[in-house]
Amino acid sequence: MDIDLITQILFATIKTGTPLLFIALGEVICEKSGVLNLGQEGMMLMGAVVGFMCALATGNLGFAIFASMAMGAAMSLIFGFLVLHLGANQVATGLALTIFGTGLSAFIGSGVVGQTLQGFQPIIIPVLSDIPVIGKILFTHDLLVYLSFIIAAVLAFVANKTRLGLTLRAVGENPHAANAIGIKVLRVRYLAIMFGGAMAGLAGAYMSLSYTPMWVENMTSGRGWIALALVVFASWRIGNIMLGAYLFGLASIMHLVLQGMGWTISPNLLAMLPYIATVVVMVIISADQFKEKLLAPRSLGKPFDPRQMA
Amino acid sequence: MKLKSLLVGVGLLAGLGTAHAEDPFKVGFVYVGPVGDLGWSYEHDRGRQEMEKYFDGKVETTYVENVPEGADAERVITQLAKSGNDLIFTTSFGYMNPTLKVAKRFPKTTFEHATGYKRAKNMGTYVLRTYEGRYVSGVAAGLLTKTNTIGYIGSFPIPEVIRDIDATYMAAKSVNPDVKIKIVWVNSWYDPGKETDAANALMDQGVDVMLQHTDSPAPLIAAEKRGIRAIGQASDQSSFAPNAHVFSVRDDWAPYYIKTTKAVMDGTYKPTDFWGGFQDDMLSLASINDNLPKEVRAKIDETFEKIDSGEFHPFTGPITDNKGNLVVPAGHTLTDVELAQVNWYVEGIADEVPR
């Protein structure tokens, strides 16, 4: 393998990892507040279709991104209302949200299937992109990829170094204690859920406006589920999520590149991987003693009722 | 259209007063992808719509899309049979066993399975001679490549896909003896993101003409971005890549759906293994790009004519596989049964069929 091919592979790794990174960053914030939202795939698809339609109608990509994020957040509000106010089961509600989003996105997007648009173009950052190897890998992407770097950095800072991050953790670890010291638990959870929704919408917009600039039904093909698995693999740490997203990106790129070089890999084995990951996540989430070891927020998945004591 | 079906409904109601209105003949379809995939399932659905239009109210169709191959498929097919469909088309290789199982339980219903090889008294199979389109594609690819490396994005290593890779490569080699092919499997019929990654991985390795046996137009979009050539499959995908697009090998299922539905309605149906290609108007070359060099265009037309007229069959011996075995002796043309079992790469493909 020559250096050019390695550079290309790592460049592609970043692109492939980016949608996973967006969703996983949103989900980790949501989960840190103690809420498990399995509706990622549905919110992502809605974000993708709305972003694409807005871009077609207005020609303004910035507006399209905003619409995608707003759509994702609006979808997550439905989820928030059901689980926070009505105390609905989070897992079931999240799954319903995914099914709902998949169907609704196909319905509203049926008129724009087959249309094309330019999408985001690469922005070559001067000076930085001239650094050998690294420059090409990191600084010749489009705006959304840079945005993902920035969001990851900001979130890592906020979650670990600020009072806001502390509040979020307190709500996720022990909502009753947080409530007792005057933190508005439900409000924090609402905001976290909406942030997760907006990020899923953004991930969808990345798919339909940058990665594969088009809209076709179910075009996210399960990336929302992989991102959920990523959060667990990263043990709810933002730095690890970035690593995990790119690791997954690298694995899927390498699988393709190696085949092109004449290696034969069992397709069945590789097709299983995301599902195995998802199963592992489900097992881990449902086994309590594992949770603490993996630093999962202690109240993850449990509804909060301020009238009850812990 | 709405008004028309309303009128038909009113007519039926009026008929009820005097005699029982004749029930429409019901036909169900099962699709593996979304009808909006602009590829495989989209074309089956176009065939369904044309068929319905052809029978003008005498046939009522339903379809279920996005049905996973496996236990879910069996449930969906059973449901369609239970709800009174007289004829059911299942349109993906992985539906073969579920379809057969349900066919045995509902002997009065007729089943037709696309791309399979198992048949029963009330279950036939049908498939497209996609290798004919691939052969023309291969000729175009072999002439257009400047790096002498063409790329192929495969879905699953089943005979249909392997056969098409062979046809592509034999065709490319017939016009360009130095041509190499790089094959990447994505383990999915439909995943635009992964197809994009596969396309990029191929282009990173020097591929400058790309073919695909997956259903989304994503590889064409990727090719357009990087300024190389690509060939569309299943439906006309020219709009996604105005410069890159060479042509699309387009499926047309309507002739078969009309023919079969008619036969079942008339009571003349017999389960067969039907293969349709250029000659049956079930495959065509759609939107051949105006920006092709004249001699390439001429060669495309010539190859198409030769296959369409029956003068040439791509799988005519002598053909040697890439391990040196003579798989098709000189003078022999593979029969459809033999074609359905192709699991070898032809000589010159430096790769192995995944097991």
Side-chain angles (χ1 to χ4, degrees), chain A residues 187-212:
Chain A
R187 186 188 294 171
V188 171
R189 287 192 169 175
Y190 257 121
L191 289 173
I193 289 171
M194 281 174 68
F195 179 78
M199 290 299 284
L202 182 57
Y206 177 76
M207 294 297 291
S208 69
L209 296 174
S210 161
Y211 199 50
T212 51

Side-chain angles (χ1 to χ4, degrees), chain A residues 87-101:
Chain A
N89 180 302
Q90 293 181 5
V91 171
T93 311
L95 287 172
L97 192 68
T98 280
I99 297 165
F100 174 63

